[in-house]
Amino acid sequence: MATNIGSQQRDYERCRQVHLDFHTSEHMPAVGSRFDKKNWQEALKLGRVNLINIFGKCHHSWCYYPTKAGRMHPTLSHDLLGAQIEACHEIDVKVSTYITVGWSANDALAHPEWIHRNSDGSICGYDPAKVKMDDAKPIVNWSLLCPVGPYHHQVMAHVEEVCRMYPTDGIWLDIYSMTHACYCDACRAGMAAAGVDASNEAAAMTWRIGALLEHQGKVAALVEQLKPGATIYFNGTTATNMNGLYKHALYQHNSKNDLEDLPTTWGGYNKFPLRARLFHNVGRPVVAMSGKFHTMWGEFGGFKHRDAMKYEAACMIANGARCNFGDQMHPDGHMDLSTYANIGHAFEYVEKIEAYGVPGVPVSNLALLHSENGEADEGAASMLLETQTEFEMIRPGAKIDDRIDVLVIPGAPCLDDAAAGIVSAFIARGGKVLAMGAGVLDASREKCLLDVGAEYLGAAAYVNDYTQAAATVGEDLPATPFLNYEAAPRFAPKPGTETLAAIYEPYFDRTYAKYCSHQNTPNRTEPAAHPAAMRKENVIVTAHDLGTAYHRHGARVHRQLFLNCLKLLHTSPMLETRMPSAGRATLIHQPHENRYVAHLTYAAPMKRGRCEIIEDIVPLTNVNLTVRLPEKIKRVYEVPSMAPLAATPGAEALSLTIPRLQCHTAVVFEY
């Protein structure tokens, strides 16, 4: 984990950002006609914005400046990009220029040879030949272009043109989709030249990753040559759970890592904290991207309430990330002041607290292994977040820092022999492991890669099964068997291994031939020979993938069993507090300031229609907080009030009470 942040990085990336979408059809009249410098600057000042991403080229393929590399929007009559950059720099707002790559509608129509192709030759994404032009167009519906072939030169031409014509502070390139290989003519030729069998999907994907990295490297080198010190970011490269992309470091040419998470509709409020912890390992500035919208990108006239934006912004800073809220400008170029009043409400608070989160990284003595299985990882992270259990993220095969006492392994196969060796060495030196489900198995799910005190017998024999916890892990759990919606793989404990929870199997699976009642078959009255949880010294294994189960079904019994098992191992957390499950707690280390900062936030997301919203931000009172820190603490105070807090020193811990918490507070521990 990159904890040693130098002072030279403090102003590397500003904290109060806006990403200003401007995807504007050729059918829109008088584009940019109402742009006014005074209105533009008034909006940014009202929003307390100090960096903005503005458009050079949009998804419709139109440029918003006089261009030779592409085509200027047909109803734009002036240099909109140049005017925006000038207006920003006059009020000390930095500018990053947006250039679309993967989605570019008119380029796709004009150059079908640039389009990303599936293995059967079909178009990836929207295919105009397969629709009627008068049909309603779904949202987020574009053809996908491939920058590996001749389109690469077009992208380079736009980047070079913008860098030469304007004093931009950065280049922001969008839509680098790497979910699967491309089979356009250029990619097929490249694979053939490299001796790659295009029919081998894994080999084709590996080649594709290398080709995209080569393209990105050339773009990044061009930006550095023409604009030394400018930021460069390729959007789409910070995906964390698709085809092993994170381990291939698709982000390696980014000068920062923007994490595009729209919690209202893109996976909820537990997704960003996981990704932030993972990308702090890279050692570059992390930017959290949300939106001003009620739903997601492309929504004209949608508003998230300003209190929700304040809460989200506080959570971003609490995770050591800069803040970015997406907006979409009206095609006429006029900035909506209501939007920037809402953003300003959030950023006014960010101004008070940003120095206590950025630069900084979440720090803990518990680490969660990144399996790249989205359900397993996000479910495990949710169980930790909702119990205010601070954690770091590490990837399999990475060094386990000496600070880490406990390692949590999600329930998806993520170890190979080398990674298992690192975990085994960690256990041998006294480290503790809580592993779930198939997390201890090899990729083929045939054998255990760790010594967990049990023999692996194989996959589950039934669709569902039941768990009954022993008293050791029975806190707040039923005394009778509770249902698991997916049955566990089977492990046979060896002599000396303690059973913490038993499995009860059903009488039979539910079929048309044999069924009982409306849903699942009831449990047998005697336990199975294979347990639901077991312990060998410092290693606990839950047979079920509790993370995936919690992610899919949200049953509190699964989270509680996980927490009860974890408590047996995680006996001295660096941060400890008790809030309702919507409470979040992070411990940020800022070694350049000789301090730790405990951030506590509270708001309860609610499902309304298809969106998660933040509405009622109720106060909490008398919140207890305990920290266990390696340094001797000299001063304790609350932010943003700066009020001193009385801390009760203990033998190993420093404890205090926060009188009142509404939305967010931070407690600073200076050493």
Side-chain angles (χ1 to χ4, degrees):
M1 190 189 68
T3 58
N4 188 18
I5 299 174
S7 60
Q8 72 275 8
Q9 288 188 325
R10 294 187 190 185
D11 296 321
Y12 184 78
E13 182 76 11
R14 294 188 175 184
C15 276
R16 288 169 276 118
Q17 306 183 14
V18 161
H19 182 88
L20 187 63
D21 262 7
F22 199 60
H23 301 296
T24 308
S25 166
E26 57 271 24
H27 300 292
M28 295 304 303
V31 165
S33 60
R34 292 187 65 206
F35 172 81
D36 175 74
K37 180 189 288 188
K38 182 178 178 181
N39 162 257
W40 176 271
Q41 294 178 337
E42 181 183 2
L44 298 186
K45 289 177 181 178
L46 184 62
R48 298 174 183 264
V49 176
N50 57 17
L51 187 152
I52 186 167
N53 300 334
I54 59 176
F55 270 43
K57 181 183 179 183
C58 77
H59 289 342
H60 289 270
S61 305
W62 301 122
C63 295
Y64 298 94
Y65 65 94
T67 174
K68 294 181 180 178
R71 292 169 290 174
M72 191 161 114
H73 194 286
T75 70
L76 175 67
S77 61
H78 62 99
D79 184 354
L80 182 60
L81 176 64
Q84 290 170 333
I85 293 176
E86 180 182 304
C88 286
H89 285 170
E90 282 185 6
I91 57 173
D92 191 31
V93 173
K94 286 194 173 184
V95 172
S96 186
T97 302
Y98 174 103
I99 297 172
T100 193
V101 176
W103 292 341
S104 189
N106 287 302
D107 283 336
L109 291 173
H111 295 278
E113 72 276 12
W114 293 357
I115 297 177
H116 185 124
R117 300 281 173 167
N118 299 312
S119 57
D120 62 1
S122 62
I123 286 175
C124 185
Y126 159 68
D127 185 347
K130 294 184 177 181
V131 300
K132 295 178 180 178
M133 288 295 107
D134 290 335
D135 287 348
K137 188 176 177 67
I139 65 171
V140 193
N141 183 243
W142 309 87
S143 301
L144 180 65
L145 300 182
C146 173
V148 168
Y151 183 45
H152 163 78
H153 303 291
Q154 177 75 3
V155 175
M156 291 283 281
H158 278 294
V159 170
E160 179 174 1
E161 187 173 64
V162 167
C163 287
R164 290 191 184 280
M165 290 177 63
Y166 300 104
T168 187
D169 302 300
I171 297 292
W172 206 97
L173 298 108
D174 201 9
I175 312 298
Y176 278 83
S177 177
M178 285 155 284
T179 55
H180 57 277
C182 176
Y183 298 89
C184 69
D185 288 345
C187 284
R188 285 188 179 277
M191 284 188 275
V196 174
D197 179 4
S199 66
N200 183 322
E201 186 175 348
M205 187 63 181
T206 299
W207 181 88
R208 167 78 172 171
I209 288 169
L212 282 170
L213 284 172
E214 181 181 358
H215 156 77
Q216 292 165 12
K218 290 178 180 178
V219 174
L222 178 63
V223 173
E224 181 60 25
Q225 173 194 341
L226 299 176
K227 283 281 186 282
T231 60
I232 178 76
Y233 176 68
F234 300 90
N235 193 36
T237 60
T238 52
T240 55
N241 57 8
M242 295 186 297
N243 294 325
L245 296 180
Y246 180 81
K247 70 182 178 184
H248 292 292
L250 268 296
Y251 52 78
Q252 64 187 260
H253 295 296
N254 297 337
S255 63
K256 58 171 182 173
N257 284 307
D258 287 9
L259 307 182
E260 186 183 0
D261 286 306
L262 302 179
T264 48
T265 56
W266 281 13
Y269 282 85
N270 285 347
K271 186 177 177 182
F272 160 70
L274 183 155
R275 295 180 69 201
R277 283 162 173 78
L278 191 60
F279 275 94
H280 276 303
N281 295 329
V282 176
R284 297 167 198 164
V286 171
V287 180
M289 293 189 74
S290 184
K292 75 98 177 181
F293 318 105
H294 175 62
T295 59
M296 55 168 283
W297 303 110
E299 181 182 69
F300 287 108
F303 285 90
K304 184 180 292 174
H305 193 274
R306 64 179 192 164
D307 288 345
M309 297 180 72
K310 177 183 175 180
Y311 169 75
E312 289 185 16
C315 290
M316 294 169 182
I317 297 297
N319 284 279
R322 285 80 173 163
C323 308
N324 185 308
F325 284 103
D327 179 29
Q328 181 165 229
M329 186 168 65
H330 191 280
D332 66 13
H334 192 76
M335 294 283 267
D336 178 62
L337 297 185
S338 294
T339 290
Y340 287 85
N342 280 3
I343 293 173
H345 178 72
F347 283 173
E348 180 181 17
Y349 188 69
V350 169
E351 284 183 301
K352 298 174 182 177
I353 66 170
E354 60 188 27
Y356 297 92
V358 177
V361 291
V363 63
S364 176
N365 56 352
L366 181 147
L368 174 63
L369 206 63
H370 178 232
S371 73
E372 293 208 18
N373 179 295
E375 290 187 309
D377 291 342
E378 290 178 31
S382 292
M383 294 190 293
L384 294 169
L385 291 165
E386 291 169 14
T387 56
Q388 296 89 51
T389 306
E390 177 59 304
F391 65 98
E392 296 180 15
M393 289 287 295
I394 61 174
R395 60 175 299 269
K399 178 181 181 294
I400 302 175
D401 195 281
D402 291 339
R403 178 186 61 260
I404 301 300
D405 294 333
V406 181
L407 178 68
V408 175
I409 302 178
C414 54
L415 301 175
D416 56 20
D417 289 337
I422 292 172
V423 175
S424 296
F426 169 72
I427 296 169
R429 65 176 186 263
K432 304 169 186 178
V433 170
L434 173 55
M436 291 179 280
V440 299
L441 303 180
D442 67 334
S444 61
R445 299 177 185 247
E446 294 178 350
K447 63 179 180 178
C448 275
L449 293 178
L450 299 176
D451 180 5
V452 298
E455 179 185 356
Y456 177 60
L457 301 179
Y462 296 92
V463 173
N464 312 119
D465 61 17
Y466 299 79
T467 294
Q468 184 167 9
T472 315
V473 293
E475 180 184 355
D476 286 341
L477 285 173
T480 53
F482 58 81
L483 176 65
N484 302 297
Y485 299 93
E486 289 90 22
R490 294 169 293 135
F491 296 88
K494 296 178 181 178
T497 299
E498 178 186 5
T499 293
L500 300 176
I503 283 178
Y504 285 74
E505 294 181 322
Y507 287 95
F508 45 80
D509 279 336
R510 182 180 177 85
T511 66
Y512 278 104
K514 190 186 294 186
Y515 61 92
C516 181
S517 188
H518 292 307
Q519 291 197 59
N520 48 289
T521 307
N523 60 280
R524 299 172 186 264
T525 55
E526 71 284 350
H530 48 282
M534 54 193 176
R535 178 176 187 174
K536 178 191 176 184
E537 299 173 346
N538 283 343
V539 178
I540 293 177
V541 174
T542 68
H544 296 89
D545 178 358
L546 297 176
T548 296
Y550 191 65
H551 183 80
R552 290 177 180 173
H553 308 291
R556 184 169 171 177
V557 289
H558 296 136
R559 188 185 76 191
Q560 190 65 42
L561 178 61
F562 169 83
L563 181 63
N564 292 348
C565 290
L566 183 61
K567 283 180 177 178
L568 297 179
L569 303 174
H570 195 35
T571 55
S572 298
M574 291 182 69
L575 180 149
E576 196 169 8
T577 187
R578 189 68 182 267
M579 292 189 284
S581 62
R584 299 290 180 266
T586 55
L587 184 65
I588 294 289
H589 190 201
Q590 295 184 304
H592 61 281
E593 299 286 0
N594 295 325
R595 68 191 181 201
Y596 294 85
V597 186
H599 288 266
L600 279 68
T601 58
Y602 181 75
M606 294 174 285
K607 190 79 170 176
R608 298 279 176 81
R610 65 187 177 99
C611 296
E612 280 193 26
I613 68 160
I614 300 290
E615 183 170 0
D616 302 317
I617 304 181
V618 299
L620 304 179
T621 57
N622 298 322
V623 177
N624 295 321
L625 174 67
T626 298
V627 295
R628 297 172 178 87
L629 304 173
E631 293 85 0
K632 183 177 180 180
I633 300 304
K634 299 177 180 178
R635 182 185 174 211
V636 182
Y637 56 95
E638 193 173 5
V639 169
S641 71
M642 307 305 290
L645 290 172
T648 303
E652 298 180 353
L654 202 63
S655 299
L656 55 87
T657 299
I658 300 167
R660 190 174 189 271
L661 162 63
Q662 186 165 20
C663 186
H664 169 267
T665 194
V667 180
V668 182
F669 299 89
E670 293 185 353
Y671 57 85

